[in-house]
């Protein structure tokens, strides 16, 4: 099993910045993709940004140019730097990790979520 511990959420004014972190630990074999999703009240969970093991990134259109995802493979940690935050960014942010297992398949893990609230 892989455990994910998120940190960095909080309350910020519109236009402000936050940096989310997610550290993976436990029975890690070989982490492939790492990503951040968010879920606003009454809405489905949506991808915010993802990064592959080789550093290729992908962003939701709504955060393009405002957010940067990065990872430290040595620390099994993924980060999300969020700038120019808007009230519509308010949501619970979840870390996602895809780990290659010894059988050749993959296992998917989710963090517990961290609240981000942007006030206007």
């Amino acid at each position: 099993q892989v455990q994910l511990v998120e940190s960095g959420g909080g309350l910020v004014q519109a236009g402000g910045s936050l940096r989310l972190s997610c550290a993976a630990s436990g029975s890690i074999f070989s982490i492939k993709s790492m990503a951040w999703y968010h879920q606003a009240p009454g809405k489905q969970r949506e991808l915010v940004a993802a990064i592959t093991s080789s550093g290729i990134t992908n962003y939701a259109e709504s955060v393009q140019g405002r957010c940067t995802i990065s990872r430290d493979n040595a620390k099994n940690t993924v980060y999300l730097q969020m700038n120019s935050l808007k009230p519509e960014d308010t949501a619970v942010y979840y870390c996602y990790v895809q780990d290659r297992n010894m059988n050749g398949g993959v296992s998917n893990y989710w963090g517990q979520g961290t609240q981000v609230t942007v006030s206007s």
Side-chain angles (χ1 to χ4, degrees):
Q1 279 286 13
V2 174
Q3 293 80 43
L4 303 178
V5 178
E6 300 156 343
S7 61
L11 173 64
V12 64
Q13 288 189 332
S17 299
L18 284 175
R19 189 190 193 213
L20 306 183
S21 300
C22 173
S25 63
S27 302
I28 297 170
F29 184 68
S30 177
I31 292 178
K32 296 180 63 179
S33 296
M34 306 181 86
W36 289 95
Y37 286 73
H38 69 192
Q39 186 168 19
K43 295 188 177 181
Q44 290 188 330
R45 191 172 297 187
E46 299 177 333
L47 176 69
V48 177
I51 184 168
T52 68
S53 57
S54 58
I56 297 172
T57 58
N58 179 43
Y59 296 93
E61 187 175 338
S62 61
V63 303
Q64 189 78 37
R66 299 189 296 119
C67 292
T68 302
I69 189 170
S70 60
R71 61 190 282 173
D72 184 332
N73 291 330
K75 296 181 179 180
N76 293 319
T77 299
V78 61
Y79 306 95
L80 183 67
Q81 177 67 44
M82 301 188 293
N83 302 321
S84 302
L85 283 162
K86 304 175 181 179
E88 50 263 44
D89 294 320
T90 296
V92 177
Y93 283 70
Y94 295 93
C95 174
Y96 164 84
V97 165
Q98 186 180 68
D99 186 40
R100 183 182 294 112
N101 59 45
M102 297 179 66
N103 299 321
V106 294
S107 298
N108 303 307
Y109 300 95
W110 291 93
Q112 79 283 1
T114 185
Q115 178 70 46
V116 170
T117 302
V118 184
S119 63
S120 57

